[in-house]
Amino acid sequence: MSRSFPGLASVSSSAGVRIPRIEWAQLTCRVVALLVLASVLPATTLAATYRVGSGGGCTHASIQAAVNTAAGNAGLDTIRITRTLAYGNQNIVVEADTAGIEFIGGYADCQTNSITLPNTAVSGAGGAAAAVFSLRGIATVFMNNLEISGGDSTSAGGGIEIVGGPKSIVLSNLFIHNNQGRYGGGISARHSAPNTNELFVLIDGDTAISGNTSTESGFNFGGGGLYCENASVLVSGGTYLLGNSSANYGGGIAASGCAVEIGSVGLLGGVLLNNYAARDGGGLYASLSRSIVSFYTADPEQPAAVIGNTAGEDGGGIMAFTNAQVSVYDAIIRDNVAQRGAGVAIEDVDGTPSVTRFLMQGTTLGAPGAARNCARREACNRISDNSAQNGSGGATPGAALFVRAGNDFAASVILRSTRVEGNEGQNLIDFDLDGDVSLDGALVEGNTLTGPMFDTSGPNAENLVIAASTIAANVFGAGQPVINARNVCAIESGGYRGTHVYRSIIWQPGHALIAMGGTPNLNCFQYLLANDLGVLPASTLNGVGDPLFNNAAAGNFRLRLSSPALDYAVAQSANSTRDIGPRVLDDPTIVNEFGAHDLGAYEIDQIFADGFE
């Protein structure tokens, strides 16, 4: 049978953020070789096909019996699991077969050679407190067209437990639901070797991981749908994780020292949906240095999304913890809930010189090869409609982002060309201790907050850089400034210190741009157009006036041809635009104020793009 595994590609570093390379190319070669081997061996005398069920043509009456027979055969064997039996009380262990096994369900009986729906159901209900399938040793395993439920493990994954390596596991067209395990309620993949090069898991096809539970409430474990440790996991095809829960971290996925690439089209684009974590990372939780996560859109018409997840503490959609690095390309994080960082939380508090990073951008530059830019620019690369709230519904910090670091420059966030809209909470981005946030070519609009939008007034290194961005039409605390900042700003060897705003539009009538004690350093606030510059001293570089948006009421914050923000600033071509268009284009019909750079998130030449014509 033929197999297609889209999305296997290498990962390269993104501009502005140094991301270590995941050795996907090496892993891809290994999986391709295995697929070729699987297609060749059945025709040889080394491989065998076993049929599990009752009636004519069946070779075994139980799955475990077929596994045991395959262990003594030298080839990559196939086990067909028919629908002629009810497979309950199952704990199937694969350990000794180093040549590998392929499990295939969906056969009506042992004499049928074609696969039909429904998938063959295999359940652990009523059996031992163990996973339904335990894949151990170094056996490569393919699993296809199975429904796996009822697993109940007190030590590892509930549905599928994957242990050790080196090996590759390929899971395709599975329905993994209503299992529970100490960690990895649906799937756990763990290796003792401290690397991500020996255990590779591919989750592909129309695979659904739904309604699974991780029961561990201690410090290290979680992953309602999937837990991985010292492994590499690729999620592709139409895979999605829906309605899983963790008593600890990572309602959908928990990655501990694990490289994860998520390039699935999911369920109408939704990949991490309605998952819950009692602590952090409702959709995704990533921690430790080998946790390098890429999440991207694979279908231009269906942007990948993290939707409707909840965390009892931090990171409703995504949580990146000490040393983890998470990159999101042209995707959506929306409708998530947490007490802090409803959309995303970034924390690095281990006291070492580690760096935890989160990058979100609207271009696939630096993304895995299977990533695709959205067909409709304004529909993608958004942090939208997330809610930071406590148990009684009261507003809490970090409607979009929560950032905490124990050292200078240890927790870094870059939002490039990102639309941040419709989020609700006490403030939009919350800093606790240290932290670094950069907005480049971003549009921040339509958020509802009770305090200032950005509060960087604390005594620690709370560093905020806003460049070539537009902030408008937000509702927040009466009399509050857009930015409440400390009287500290500089550019140091480690990065930007304090609050910096450049080449941007801030149109929030009734609110000053900035409030701070003492006299601000004007070198940190240049080429601005605002309704009120707050405590900034007078400068010919900054102006007060209406930016003249095209149609702000309809969400169109592009500039009219009569806007005073056109051809205003000294050119900085490194800045991004919201729509990924070119940044500095000099209009010869407009007299440059200081240069050819338009202020805000858009350049004027893109005025008829994205359905706003």
Side-chain angles (χ1 to χ4, degrees), residues 45-125:
T45 58
L46 297 177
T49 298
Y50 306 107
R51 296 170 175 83
V52 180
S54 62
C58 295
T59 62
H60 295 82
S62 75
I63 302 170
Q64 187 66 62
V67 169
N68 295 342
T69 301
N73 192 55
L76 177 61
D77 301 312
T78 298
I79 297 176
R80 295 184 178 182
I81 308 173
T82 73
R83 296 190 295 267
T84 58
L85 291 175
Y87 303 96
N89 309 322
Q90 297 293 301
N91 171 218
I92 300 141
V93 180
V94 177
E95 189 161 21
D97 193 331
T98 58
I101 293 178
E102 181 176 38
F103 294 97
I104 306 177
Y107 292 96
D109 55 55
C110 292
Q111 294 177 321
T112 300
N113 291 319
S114 60
I115 296 171
T116 57
L117 291 175
N119 287 351
T120 303
V122 183
S123 173

Coordinates of all heavy atoms in Angstrom, one line a residue, residues 45-125:
T45 N 11.1 -13.6 1.0 CA 10.8 -14.7 2.0 C 11.1 -14.3 3.4 O 10.7 -15.0 4.3 CB 11.7 -15.9 1.6 OG1 13.1 -15.5 1.6 CG2 11.4 -16.4 0.2
L46 N 11.7 -13.1 3.6 CA 12.0 -12.7 5.0 C 10.8 -12.1 5.7 O 10.6 -12.3 6.9 CB 13.2 -11.6 4.9 CG 14.5 -12.1 4.4 CD1 15.5 -11.0 4.4 CD2 15.0 -13.3 5.2
A47 N 10.0 -11.4 5.0 CA 8.8 -10.7 5.6 C 7.6 -11.7 5.6 O 7.5 -12.5 4.7 CB 8.5 -9.4 4.9
A48 N 6.7 -11.4 6.5 CA 5.5 -12.3 6.6 C 4.3 -11.4 6.9 O 4.4 -10.3 7.4 CB 5.6 -13.3 7.6
T49 N 3.1 -11.9 6.4 CA 1.9 -11.2 6.7 C 1.0 -12.1 7.6 O 0.8 -13.2 7.3 CB 1.1 -10.8 5.5 OG1 1.9 -9.9 4.7 CG2 -0.2 -10.2 5.8
Y50 N 0.6 -11.6 8.8 CA -0.2 -12.3 9.7 C -1.6 -11.7 9.8 O -1.7 -10.4 9.7 CB 0.4 -12.4 11.1 CG 1.9 -12.9 11.1 CD1 2.9 -12.0 11.2 CD2 2.2 -14.2 10.8 CE1 4.3 -12.4 11.2 CE2 3.5 -14.7 10.8 CZ 4.5 -13.8 11.0 OH 5.8 -14.2 10.9
R51 N -2.6 -12.5 9.9 CA -4.0 -12.0 9.9 C -4.6 -12.4 11.2 O -4.7 -13.6 11.6 CB -4.8 -12.6 8.7 CG -4.2 -12.1 7.4 CD -4.8 -12.9 6.2 NE -4.4 -12.4 4.9 CZ -3.3 -12.7 4.3 NH1 -2.5 -13.6 4.9 NH2 -3.0 -12.2 3.2
V52 N -5.1 -11.3 12.0 CA -5.7 -11.6 13.3 C -7.2 -11.5 13.2 O -7.7 -10.5 12.7 CB -5.1 -10.5 14.3 CG1 -5.7 -10.8 15.7 CG2 -3.6 -10.6 14.4
G53 N -7.9 -12.5 13.7 CA -9.3 -12.4 13.7 C -9.9 -13.8 13.9 O -9.2 -14.8 14.3
S54 N -11.1 -14.0 13.5 CA -11.8 -15.3 13.5 C -12.3 -15.6 12.1 O -12.8 -14.7 11.4 CB -12.9 -15.4 14.5 OG -13.9 -14.5 14.2
G55 N -12.3 -16.9 11.7 CA -12.8 -17.2 10.4 C -11.7 -17.7 9.4 O -10.5 -17.7 9.8
G56 N -12.1 -17.9 8.2 CA -11.2 -18.4 7.2 C -10.0 -17.4 6.9 O -10.2 -16.2 6.8
G57 N -8.8 -17.9 6.7 CA -7.7 -17.1 6.4 C -6.9 -16.5 7.6 O -5.9 -16.0 7.4
C58 N -7.5 -16.6 8.8 CA -6.9 -16.0 9.9 C -5.7 -16.9 10.4 O -5.8 -18.1 10.4 CB -7.9 -15.8 11.1 SG -9.2 -14.7 10.7
T59 N -4.6 -16.2 10.8 CA -3.4 -16.9 11.3 C -3.3 -16.9 12.8 O -2.7 -17.7 13.4 CB -2.2 -16.4 10.7 OG1 -2.0 -15.0 11.1 CG2 -2.2 -16.5 9.2
H60 N -4.0 -15.9 13.5 CA -3.9 -15.7 14.9 C -5.2 -15.2 15.5 O -5.9 -14.5 14.8 CB -2.8 -14.7 15.3 CG -1.4 -15.2 14.9 ND1 -0.9 -15.1 13.7 CD2 -0.4 -15.8 15.7 CE1 0.4 -15.6 13.6 NE2 0.6 -16.0 14.8
A61 N -5.5 -15.6 16.7 CA -6.7 -15.2 17.4 C -6.5 -14.0 18.3 O -7.4 -13.5 18.9 CB -7.3 -16.3 18.2
S62 N -5.3 -13.5 18.4 CA -5.0 -12.3 19.2 C -3.8 -11.5 18.6 O -3.0 -12.1 17.9 CB -4.6 -12.7 20.7 OG -3.3 -13.2 20.8
I63 N -3.8 -10.2 18.9 CA -2.8 -9.4 18.3 C -1.4 -9.7 19.0 O -0.4 -9.8 18.3 CB -3.1 -7.9 18.6 CG1 -4.5 -7.5 18.0 CG2 -2.1 -7.0 18.0 CD1 -5.0 -6.2 18.4
Q64 N -1.4 -10.0 20.3 CA -0.2 -10.3 20.9 C 0.5 -11.6 20.4 O 1.7 -11.7 20.2 CB -0.4 -10.4 22.5 CG 0.9 -10.5 23.2 CD 1.8 -9.3 23.1 OE1 1.4 -8.2 23.6 NE2 3.0 -9.4 22.6
A65 N -0.4 -12.5 20.1 CA 0.1 -13.8 19.5 C 0.8 -13.5 18.2 O 1.9 -14.1 17.9 CB -1.0 -14.8 19.4
A66 N 0.2 -12.7 17.4 CA 0.8 -12.3 16.1 C 2.2 -11.6 16.3 O 3.1 -11.8 15.6 CB -0.1 -11.5 15.2
V67 N 2.2 -10.7 17.3 CA 3.4 -10.0 17.6 C 4.5 -11.0 18.0 O 5.7 -10.9 17.6 CB 3.2 -9.0 18.7 CG1 4.5 -8.4 19.2 CG2 2.3 -7.8 18.2
N68 N 4.2 -11.9 18.8 CA 5.2 -12.9 19.3 C 5.7 -13.7 18.2 O 6.9 -14.0 18.1 CB 4.5 -13.8 20.4 CG 4.1 -13.0 21.6 OD1 4.6 -11.9 21.9 ND2 3.3 -13.6 22.4
T69 N 4.8 -14.1 17.2 CA 5.3 -14.9 16.1 C 6.2 -14.0 15.2 O 7.3 -14.5 14.7 CB 4.1 -15.4 15.3 OG1 3.3 -16.2 16.1 CG2 4.6 -16.2 14.0
A70 N 5.9 -12.8 15.0 CA 6.7 -11.9 14.2 C 8.0 -11.6 14.8 O 9.0 -11.4 14.0 CB 5.9 -10.5 14.0
A71 N 8.1 -11.7 16.1 CA 9.4 -11.5 16.8 C 10.5 -12.5 16.4 O 11.7 -12.2 16.4 CB 9.3 -11.5 18.3
G72 N 10.0 -13.7 16.0 CA 10.9 -14.7 15.6 C 11.2 -14.7 14.1 O 12.0 -15.6 13.6
N73 N 10.6 -13.8 13.3 CA 10.9 -13.7 11.9 C 11.8 -12.6 11.6 O 11.8 -11.5 12.2 CB 9.5 -13.5 11.2 CG 9.7 -13.7 9.7 OD1 10.1 -14.8 9.2 ND2 9.2 -12.7 8.9
A74 N 12.6 -12.8 10.6 CA 13.7 -11.8 10.3 C 13.2 -10.6 9.5 O 13.9 -9.6 9.5 CB 14.8 -12.5 9.5
G75 N 12.1 -10.6 8.9 CA 11.6 -9.5 8.1 C 10.8 -8.4 8.8 O 10.4 -8.6 10.0
L76 N 10.5 -7.4 8.1 CA 9.6 -6.3 8.5 C 8.2 -6.9 8.3 O 7.7 -6.8 7.1 CB 9.8 -5.0 7.8 CG 8.9 -3.9 8.1 CD1 9.0 -3.4 9.5 CD2 9.2 -2.7 7.2
D77 N 7.5 -7.4 9.3 CA 6.3 -8.1 9.1 C 5.0 -7.2 9.2 O 5.1 -6.1 9.8 CB 6.2 -9.2 10.2 CG 7.3 -10.2 10.1 OD1 7.6 -10.6 9.0 OD2 7.9 -10.4 11.2
T78 N 4.0 -7.7 8.6 CA 2.7 -7.0 8.6 C 1.7 -7.8 9.4 O 1.5 -9.0 9.2 CB 2.2 -6.7 7.2 OG1 3.1 -5.9 6.4 CG2 0.8 -6.1 7.2
I79 N 1.0 -7.1 10.3 CA -0.1 -7.7 11.1 C -1.4 -7.0 10.7 O -1.6 -5.8 11.0 CB 0.2 -7.6 12.6 CG1 1.5 -8.4 12.9 CG2 -1.0 -8.1 13.4 CD1 1.8 -8.3 14.4
R80 N -2.3 -7.7 10.0 CA -3.6 -7.2 9.7 C -4.6 -7.5 10.8 O -4.7 -8.7 11.2 CB -4.1 -7.8 8.4 CG -3.2 -7.4 7.2 CD -3.8 -8.0 5.9 NE -3.1 -7.7 4.7 CZ -3.4 -8.0 3.5 NH1 -4.5 -8.7 3.3 NH2 -2.7 -7.6 2.4
I81 N -5.2 -6.5 11.3 CA -6.1 -6.7 12.4 C -7.5 -6.4 11.9 O -7.9 -5.3 11.5 CB -5.8 -5.7 13.6 CG1 -4.3 -5.7 13.9 CG2 -6.7 -5.9 14.8 CD1 -3.9 -4.7 14.9
T82 N -8.3 -7.5 11.8 CA -9.6 -7.4 11.2 C -10.7 -7.0 12.2 O -10.4 -6.9 13.4 CB -10.0 -8.8 10.6 OG1 -10.3 -9.7 11.7 CG2 -8.9 -9.4 9.8
R83 N -11.9 -6.8 11.7 CA -13.0 -6.4 12.6 C -13.8 -7.6 13.0 O -15.0 -7.4 13.5 CB -13.9 -5.3 11.9 CG -13.2 -4.0 11.6 CD -14.2 -3.0 11.2 NE -14.8 -3.3 9.9 CZ -14.3 -2.9 8.7 NH1 -13.2 -2.1 8.6 NH2 -14.9 -3.2 7.6
T84 N -13.3 -8.8 12.9 CA -14.1 -10.0 13.2 C -14.0 -10.3 14.7 O -14.8 -11.2 15.1 CB -13.5 -11.2 12.4 OG1 -12.2 -11.4 12.7 CG2 -13.7 -11.0 10.9
L85 N -13.2 -9.6 15.4 CA -13.1 -9.8 16.9 C -13.3 -8.5 17.6 O -13.1 -7.4 17.1 CB -11.8 -10.4 17.3 CG -11.5 -11.9 16.9 CD1 -10.1 -12.2 17.2 CD2 -12.5 -12.9 17.5
A86 N -13.8 -8.6 18.9 CA -13.8 -7.4 19.8 C -12.5 -7.5 20.6 O -12.2 -8.4 21.3 CB -15.0 -7.5 20.7
Y87 N -11.6 -6.5 20.4 CA -10.3 -6.5 21.0 C -10.4 -5.6 22.3 O -10.1 -4.4 22.3 CB -9.3 -5.9 20.1 CG -9.2 -6.7 18.8 CD1 -9.9 -6.2 17.6 CD2 -8.5 -7.9 18.7 CE1 -9.8 -6.9 16.5 CE2 -8.4 -8.6 17.5 CZ -9.1 -8.1 16.4 OH -9.0 -8.8 15.2
G88 N -10.7 -6.3 23.4 CA -10.8 -5.6 24.7 C -9.7 -6.1 25.6 O -9.0 -7.1 25.3
N89 N -9.5 -5.4 26.8 CA -8.5 -5.8 27.8 C -7.1 -5.9 27.2 O -6.3 -6.7 27.6 CB -8.8 -7.2 28.4 CG -10.2 -7.2 28.9 OD1 -10.7 -6.2 29.5 ND2 -10.9 -8.4 28.8
Q90 N -6.8 -5.0 26.2 CA -5.5 -5.2 25.5 C -4.4 -4.4 26.1 O -4.5 -3.3 26.6 CB -5.7 -4.6 24.1 CG -6.7 -5.4 23.2 CD -6.3 -6.8 23.0 OE1 -5.3 -7.1 22.3 NE2 -7.1 -7.8 23.4
N91 N -3.2 -5.0 26.2 CA -1.9 -4.4 26.5 C -0.9 -5.1 25.6 O -0.3 -6.1 26.0 CB -1.6 -4.6 28.0 CG -0.1 -4.1 28.3 OD1 0.6 -4.7 29.1 ND2 0.3 -3.1 27.6
I92 N -0.7 -4.6 24.4 CA 0.1 -5.3 23.4 C 1.5 -4.7 23.5 O 1.7 -3.5 23.4 CB -0.5 -5.0 22.0 CG1 -1.9 -5.6 21.9 CG2 0.4 -5.6 20.9 CD1 -2.8 -4.8 21.1
V93 N 2.5 -5.6 23.7 CA 3.9 -5.2 23.9 C 4.7 -5.6 22.7 O 4.7 -6.8 22.4 CB 4.4 -5.8 25.2 CG1 5.9 -5.3 25.4 CG2 3.6 -5.3 26.4
V94 N 5.4 -4.7 22.1 CA 6.4 -5.0 21.0 C 7.7 -4.7 21.6 O 8.0 -3.5 21.9 CB 6.1 -4.1 19.8 CG1 7.2 -4.4 18.7 CG2 4.7 -4.4 19.2
E95 N 8.6 -5.7 21.6 CA 9.9 -5.5 22.3 C 11.0 -6.2 21.5 O 12.1 -5.6 21.3 CB 9.9 -6.0 23.7 CG 11.1 -5.6 24.5 CD 10.9 -5.6 26.0 OE1 9.9 -6.3 26.4 OE2 11.6 -5.0 26.7
A96 N 10.8 -7.4 21.1 CA 12.0 -8.2 20.6 C 12.1 -8.1 19.1 O 13.2 -8.5 18.6 CB 11.8 -9.6 21.0
D97 N 11.1 -7.6 18.4 CA 11.2 -7.7 16.9 C 12.0 -6.5 16.4 O 11.5 -5.4 16.1 CB 9.8 -7.6 16.3 CG 9.8 -8.0 14.8 OD1 10.8 -7.7 14.2 OD2 8.8 -8.5 14.4
T98 N 13.3 -6.6 16.2 CA 14.1 -5.5 15.8 C 14.0 -5.2 14.3 O 14.4 -4.1 13.8 CB 15.6 -5.8 16.1 OG1 16.0 -7.0 15.4 CG2 15.9 -6.0 17.5
A99 N 13.4 -6.1 13.5 CA 13.2 -5.9 12.1 C 12.0 -5.0 11.9 O 11.9 -4.3 10.8 CB 13.0 -7.2 11.4
G100 N 11.1 -4.9 12.8 CA 10.0 -4.0 12.7 C 8.7 -4.7 12.4 O 8.6 -5.8 11.9
I101 N 7.6 -4.0 12.7 CA 6.2 -4.5 12.5 C 5.4 -3.4 11.9 O 5.5 -2.2 12.3 CB 5.6 -5.0 13.8 CG1 6.4 -6.2 14.3 CG2 4.1 -5.3 13.6 CD1 5.8 -6.7 15.7
E102 N 4.4 -3.8 11.1 CA 3.4 -2.9 10.6 C 2.0 -3.4 11.0 O 1.7 -4.5 10.7 CB 3.5 -2.7 9.1 CG 2.4 -1.8 8.5 CD 2.6 -1.6 7.0 OE1 2.9 -2.6 6.3 OE2 2.4 -0.5 6.5
F103 N 1.3 -2.6 11.8 CA 0.0 -2.9 12.2 C -1.0 -2.2 11.3 O -0.9 -1.0 11.1 CB -0.3 -2.5 13.7 CG 0.5 -3.2 14.7 CD1 1.6 -2.6 15.2 CD2 0.0 -4.4 15.2 CE1 2.3 -3.2 16.2 CE2 0.8 -5.1 16.2 CZ 1.9 -4.5 16.7
I104 N -1.9 -2.9 10.7 CA -2.9 -2.3 9.8 C -4.3 -2.8 10.2 O -4.6 -4.0 10.2 CB -2.7 -2.6 8.3 CG1 -1.2 -2.3 7.9 CG2 -3.6 -1.8 7.5 CD1 -0.9 -2.6 6.5
G105 N -5.2 -1.9 10.5 CA -6.6 -2.2 10.8 C -7.4 -1.9 9.6 O -6.9 -1.5 8.5
G106 N -8.7 -2.0 9.8 CA -9.7 -1.7 8.7 C -10.0 -2.8 7.8 O -10.6 -2.6 6.7
Y107 N -9.7 -4.0 8.1 CA -10.0 -5.2 7.3 C -11.3 -5.8 7.8 O -11.4 -6.1 9.0 CB -8.9 -6.2 7.3 CG -7.7 -5.7 6.5 CD1 -6.6 -5.2 7.3 CD2 -7.6 -5.8 5.2 CE1 -5.5 -4.8 6.6 CE2 -6.4 -5.4 4.5 CZ -5.4 -4.9 5.2 OH -4.3 -4.4 4.6
A108 N -12.3 -6.1 6.9 CA -13.5 -6.7 7.4 C -13.3 -8.1 7.8 O -14.0 -8.5 8.8 CB -14.5 -6.6 6.2
D109 N -12.4 -8.8 7.2 CA -12.2 -10.2 7.6 C -10.8 -10.6 7.2 O -10.1 -9.8 6.5 CB -13.2 -11.2 7.1 CG -13.4 -11.1 5.6 OD1 -12.3 -11.3 4.9 OD2 -14.5 -10.9 5.1
C110 N -10.4 -11.8 7.4 CA -9.0 -12.2 7.2 C -8.8 -12.6 5.7 O -7.6 -12.7 5.3 CB -8.6 -13.5 8.0 SG -8.5 -13.1 9.8
Q111 N -9.8 -12.7 4.9 CA -9.6 -13.0 3.5 C -9.8 -11.8 2.6 O -9.6 -11.8 1.4 CB -10.7 -14.0 3.1 CG -10.5 -15.4 3.8 CD -11.5 -16.4 3.4 OE1 -12.7 -16.0 3.3 NE2 -11.1 -17.6 3.2
T112 N -10.1 -10.6 3.2 CA -10.2 -9.4 2.4 C -8.9 -8.6 2.4 O -8.1 -8.6 3.4 CB -11.2 -8.4 3.1 OG1 -12.5 -9.1 3.2 CG2 -11.4 -7.1 2.4
N113 N -8.5 -8.1 1.2 CA -7.3 -7.4 1.0 C -7.4 -5.9 0.9 O -6.4 -5.2 0.8 CB -6.6 -7.9 -0.3 CG -6.1 -9.4 -0.1 OD1 -5.6 -9.7 0.9 ND2 -6.3 -10.1 -1.2
S114 N -8.6 -5.4 1.0 CA -8.9 -4.0 0.9 C -9.2 -3.4 2.3 O -9.9 -4.1 3.1 CB -10.0 -3.7 -0.1 OG -11.2 -4.3 0.3
I115 N -8.8 -2.2 2.5 CA -9.1 -1.5 3.8 C -10.4 -0.7 3.6 O -10.6 0.1 2.7 CB -8.0 -0.6 4.2 CG1 -6.7 -1.5 4.5 CG2 -8.3 0.2 5.4 CD1 -5.5 -0.7 4.7
T116 N -11.3 -0.8 4.6 CA -12.6 -0.1 4.6 C -12.8 0.5 6.0 O -12.2 0.0 7.0 CB -13.8 -0.9 4.2 OG1 -13.9 -2.1 5.1 CG2 -13.6 -1.4 2.7
L117 N -13.7 1.5 6.0 CA -14.1 2.0 7.3 C -15.1 1.1 7.9 O -15.9 0.5 7.2 CB -14.6 3.5 7.2 CG -13.6 4.5 6.8 CD1 -14.3 5.9 6.5 CD2 -12.5 4.7 7.8
P118 N -15.3 1.1 9.3 CA -14.5 1.9 10.2 C -13.1 1.3 10.5 O -12.9 0.1 10.2 CB -15.4 1.9 11.5 CG -16.1 0.5 11.4 CD -16.3 0.3 9.9
N119 N -12.3 2.1 11.2 CA -11.0 1.5 11.7 C -11.3 0.4 12.7 O -12.3 0.3 13.3 CB -10.2 2.6 12.4 CG -9.6 3.6 11.4 OD1 -9.7 3.4 10.2 ND2 -9.0 4.6 12.0
T120 N -10.3 -0.5 12.8 CA -10.5 -1.6 13.8 C -10.2 -1.0 15.2 O -9.3 -0.3 15.4 CB -9.4 -2.7 13.5 OG1 -9.6 -3.2 12.2 CG2 -9.6 -3.8 14.5
A121 N -11.2 -1.3 16.1 CA -11.1 -0.8 17.4 C -10.3 -1.7 18.3 O -10.6 -2.9 18.4 CB -12.5 -0.6 18.0
V122 N -9.4 -1.2 19.1 CA -8.6 -1.9 20.0 C -8.6 -1.2 21.4 O -8.3 0.0 21.4 CB -7.1 -2.1 19.6 CG1 -6.3 -2.9 20.5 CG2 -7.0 -2.7 18.2
S123 N -9.1 -1.8 22.4 CA -9.3 -1.1 23.7 C -8.6 -1.8 24.8 O -8.4 -3.0 24.9 CB -10.8 -1.1 24.0 OG -11.1 -0.6 25.3
G124 N -8.1 -1.0 25.7 CA -7.5 -1.5 27.0 C -8.4 -1.5 28.1 O -8.0 -1.9 29.2
A125 N -9.7 -1.1 27.9 CA -10.7 -1.1 29.0 C -10.9 -2.5 29.6 O -11.0 -3.5 28.9 CB -12.0 -0.6 28.5

